[in-house]
Amino acid sequence: MQNYEDILVSGVESGVLTIRLNRPDAYNALRTQLLRELADALDTAAADDQVKAVVLTGSDTVFAAGADIKEMASLDVVGVMNDPRPTFWRRIALFPKPIVAAVNGFALGGGCELMMHCDIVIAGDNAQFGQPEINLGIIPGAGGTQRLIRTIGKSMAMQLVLSGEFISAQQARSFGLVSEVTIPERSLERATQLAKKIATKPPIAVRLAKEALLKAYETTLDSGLNLERKAFTLLAATEDRNEGIAAFMEKRKPNFTGK
Amino acid sequence: MSYETIEFSITEGVAVLTLNRPDSLNSFNTQMHAEVRSALKEVKKDSSVRCLLLTGNGRGFCAGQDLSDRNVAPGAEAPNLGESIEKNYSPLLRTIRSLEMPVICAVNGVAAGAGANIAFACDIVLAAKSASFIQAFCKIGLVPDCGGTWSLPRLVGPARAMALSMLGDKVSAEQAEQWGMIWKSVENESLMDEALSMAKHFATQPTKGLALIKRAIQASATNTFDEQLDLERDLQTLAGRTEDYREGVAAFMEKRQPAFKGQ
C-alpha cells in the first residue's frame, strides 16, 4: 500500500475503505499535499474492485478546519492561477463510488467544501459548519458558493458565505446539509455501517444511481430524466439486475457479482 | 488559586463551590463571575473530580445579578444586558449542563432571579426548608434568563411557569418539592450533611455512566421519541464499553460491592 503523510488509509473491510484526514497539529487543514494524497487514494480506490464504498473522516474533534492559510498566503495572482489544487478537487468530485463522511467538530471553509464532495454525511452533534473565507478577504474556492446554495438554499447559503457565521449539526440536518446526527463517539461507526450496507448492493447500479443523483444539480429536469432513463436501460443489461429481480421473486437473498 | 467571592475545594473526588458574598446574598458581580469560571475550569481539568456540589454561604443561596453592578443613572445610555448574558451567564449555564459528572445544588436560602435558574440547571437540587425560589425578573421589567424560560415550563408545566415568571411569587422549598421543581427539601441543619453525603456517594459511582444519563435526559427535551431511541442505543453502546460496566456486572455475579473508577 502507498505511504501517505497527511491521510491514513485503512485496509478494505466488507467492501469499505476508510480514509482519515490526519494532520492533528493543524486541525486537518487541507494543504496541497493532503488534497493530492486524497485524490491519489481515491483514484486507487476507484480502480480497486474490492472497494465498494469509502468512509471519509477526521478526528473526534475536527473534520477539517479549512485550507492551509499559510500556504495560500504565499500565492499571488499568477500563483493562484497555476495552483494545482482545483485539479485535485476535480478528481475527488469525479470519484465514482459512494463516499460517506463522518464529521465531528469543525468542518469549515475547505473542510465544509470537502464534506460537500461526499455523498452522505453523518455528523456528530459537536459538528460546526461554515464558510468563513469572507473574514480573510477571499471567498470559498472549492465549490462552497455552488454546492452550498444547491443544498441548503439561497438564504442560508448567503448568510453563511457573506457573514462567515457557523451552523450547528442540528441546523445542518434541518437544512439538508447532513442526513443524520449522532453522538460524536458514534458518527464513524454509523457512517461505516451505512457504507457497509451500500457495499452489499449491486455496484454498477450504485454507481449509476450516484451519477444520476449528482446530475440533478447540473441539468434541467428533462435531461436529468433522460439520463436516468438511459442509466435505467443500461442496467437491464447487467447480471446483477437479473439476479436482484430473481431473488426478489424467489424470496431469497440476492448474490451480486458486480457484473 | 485563592478566591475572594467564592470558596472552592476538591476533596476525595468531590468539588465544592460555595458562593461567598453573604452580605449581598451571594449575588453575582464581575469578580464572582470570573472566579466561578476559573473554579469550573479546575473542575473540568482535574480528572479526579467525580461530582460537583454548588452552594452558598450565609442566609441566601444566590440573589442573582448584583444590581449595584448595573445601576443605570438617569439619562445614561441603557446597558446591554444581552452582552453580560452572552459573556457571563450563558457560558456558566452551558458548563454546568455539560460537565460530565453529577452536579448537585444545595440551596441554603433564597434563590432569586439568576440564582434560581442556575439551581434549576443543576442535575439534582436539594433545598433547606427555609429556602425559596423567586423569578424576580418581572419586578424590574426583565425576562427570566439563565435558561429559566426553558427549564421552568419543563419542570412545572407552562401554566405554573407563566404565572411564576409574571407574578414573581416566592415558592417555598416544600412547594418546590411538591411541584417537582427540585428533588428534595430537607431540614435546614441537615442540608449540607445530606448534600455532601450524596456528593460522596456519587464520587464512588460509575461517573461515565452517570454523565451519559445526564446527556440522555437533557437531549430528551428536544429529541423526538425515535431520535431518543437512537440516542439511547448509542449511549448504551458507549456505556457498555466502560470499565465500570464490566466491574458492575462482575461485582453483581460475585455478590460483592463494585469498585468503580469512573471510567
Side-chain angles (χ1 to χ4, degrees):
Chain A
M1 191 187 294
Q2 202 172 337
N3 256 341
Y4 297 108
E5 200 176 316
D6 287 0
I7 59 175
L8 293 172
V9 182
S10 73
V12 183
E13 200 198 315
S14 308
V16 175
L17 183 81
T18 303
I19 301 177
R20 191 185 278 278
L21 308 176
N22 189 39
R23 293 188 70 206
D25 299 336
Y27 298 100
N28 291 335
L30 306 173
R31 63 171 170 177
T32 303
Q33 178 175 339
L34 187 150
L35 285 176
R36 179 186 290 119
E37 289 184 4
L38 187 57
D40 286 349
L42 289 175
D43 284 349
T44 309
D48 184 348
D49 283 344
Q50 295 301 307
V51 178
K52 305 286 195 283
V54 167
V55 168
L56 181 64
T57 192
S59 73
D60 290 348
T61 51
V62 64
F63 179 68
D68 195 310
I69 307 295
K70 272 184 241 156
E71 203 178 61
M72 198 191 305
S74 65
L75 299 178
D76 61 5
V77 65
V78 176
V80 173
M81 283 189 81
N82 293 330
D83 191 351
R85 298 158 53 91
T87 62
F88 303 140
W89 283 113
R90 186 86 191 126
R91 282 162 64 197
I92 295 166
L94 289 175
F95 180 64
K97 299 173 186 179
I99 307 180
V100 185
V103 176
N104 290 334
F106 289 132
L108 305 177
C112 190
E113 291 169 306
L114 176 58
M115 180 199 86
M116 286 189 282
H117 280 69
C118 301
D119 302 303
I120 301 171
V121 181
I122 310 298
D125 59 21
N126 64 344
Q128 292 200 66
F129 306 90
Q131 300 287 163
E133 287 89 346
I134 200 79
N135 297 329
L136 305 178
I138 55 173
I139 65 170
T145 66
Q146 301 303 303
R147 289 196 178 86
L148 200 56
I149 203 163
R150 284 164 163 82
T151 311
I152 67 176
K154 177 183 164 187
S155 188
M156 190 40 74
M158 285 283 183
Q159 184 169 331
L160 290 186
V161 173
L162 301 185
S163 76
E165 280 182 1
F166 302 163
I167 55 172
S168 68
Q170 297 293 355
Q171 286 173 294
R173 182 174 57 177
S174 68
F175 295 128
L177 191 59
V178 311
S179 62
E180 262 181 55
V181 176
T182 66
I183 57 173
E185 297 94 324
R186 283 272 296 172
S187 62
L188 179 58
E189 231 173 303
R190 174 65 181 141
T192 306
Q193 188 185 40
L194 259 179
K196 283 184 177 167
K197 180 181 268 188
I198 294 168
T200 66
K201 310 295 178 195
I204 303 176
V206 167
R207 177 179 174 160
L208 289 176
K210 168 169 172 169
E211 195 180 321
L213 284 161
L214 287 178
K215 266 289 180 290
Y217 284 140
E218 298 171 22
T219 60
T220 60
L221 179 61
D222 206 37
S223 48
L225 290 171
N226 233 326
L227 178 121
E228 181 189 85
R229 175 49 48 181
K230 282 186 179 144
F232 196 89
T233 310
L234 191 61
L235 284 169
T238 63
E239 288 173 20
D240 280 349
R241 181 258 201 185
N242 295 338
E243 167 65 8
I245 290 175
F248 178 80
M249 308 273 270
E250 293 159 21
K251 297 181 181 168
R252 60 172 174 83
K253 272 198 146 177
N255 178 28
F256 296 122
T257 57
K259 287 176 188 158
Chain B
M1 176 134 193
S2 71
Y3 297 108
E4 284 171 23
T5 63
I6 64 168
E7 290 170 0
F8 180 68
S9 68
I10 295 175
T11 320
E12 289 171 17
V14 176
V16 181
L17 198 171
T18 309
L19 305 177
N20 190 31
R21 297 183 69 224
D23 294 344
S24 39
L25 291 173
N26 301 322
S27 59
F28 272 93
N29 60 10
T30 310
Q31 186 184 356
M32 192 155 99
H33 273 300
E35 294 188 358
V36 168
R37 214 166 16 241
S38 149
L40 290 178
K41 210 178 265 177
E42 286 187 56
V43 170
K44 273 201 265 186
K45 247 188 0 211
D46 187 338
S47 58
S48 77
V49 181
R50 291 164 71 179
C51 178
L52 170 66
L53 171 57
L54 187 61
T55 188
N57 268 343
R59 45 187 194 94
F61 166 65
C62 174
Q65 172 65 33
D66 186 337
L67 293 177
S68 64
D69 240 31
R70 280 184 181 168
N71 207 358
V72 193
E77 206 182 319
N80 187 346
L81 301 186
E83 205 174 279
S84 129
I85 287 178
E86 188 70 31
K87 213 175 97 202
N88 291 318
Y89 287 105
S90 297
L92 167 64
L93 274 293
R94 290 194 176 106
T95 303
I96 290 174
R97 276 177 55 89
S98 66
L99 273 183
E100 294 188 358
M101 65 185 74
V103 178
I104 303 169
C105 189
V107 181
N108 52 299
V110 65
N117 295 338
I118 288 169
F120 296 144
C122 297
D123 300 319
I124 298 184
V125 184
L126 297 174
K129 288 257 160 73
S130 63
S132 56
F133 299 88
I134 312 169
Q135 296 296 319
F137 304 90
C138 58
K139 296 179 177 176
I140 52 170
L142 294 183
V143 178
D145 56 25
C146 292
T149 60
W150 189 89
S151 47
L152 266 184
R154 284 172 170 78
L155 290 170
V156 297
R160 283 168 174 165
M162 192 66 91
L164 288 177
S165 300
M166 288 189 157
L167 294 170
D169 281 358
K170 181 189 278 197
V171 180
S172 71
E174 280 171 293
Q175 179 79 85
E177 179 184 346
Q178 278 167 25
W179 279 0
M181 286 165 90
I182 64 169
W183 169 235
K184 216 163 131 183
S185 66
V186 301
E187 297 303 328
N188 293 347
E189 312 76 64
S190 58
L191 174 71
M192 278 319 282
D193 283 350
E194 286 211 26
L196 271 171
S197 101
M198 186 188 286
K200 283 178 186 160
H201 163 74
F202 278 137
T204 66
Q205 293 303 295
T207 310
K208 182 78 187 169
L210 296 176
L212 296 175
I213 292 175
K214 178 168 173 170
R215 249 164 106 174
I217 302 276
Q218 284 180 1
S220 76
T222 49
N223 272 352
T224 63
F225 183 65
D226 282 318
E227 286 168 338
Q228 193 68 13
L229 286 180
D230 287 351
L231 179 69
E232 285 177 0
R233 173 200 63 205
D234 291 348
L235 295 177
Q236 202 71 299
T237 305
L238 295 187
R241 290 172 188 163
T242 60
E243 283 178 41
D244 282 345
Y245 169 63
R246 210 176 279 265
E247 166 64 9
V249 174
F252 178 81
M253 305 295 272
E254 295 160 20
K255 298 184 178 159
R256 61 171 173 81
Q257 282 292 318
F260 295 120
K261 293 185 189 130
Q263 281 151 17

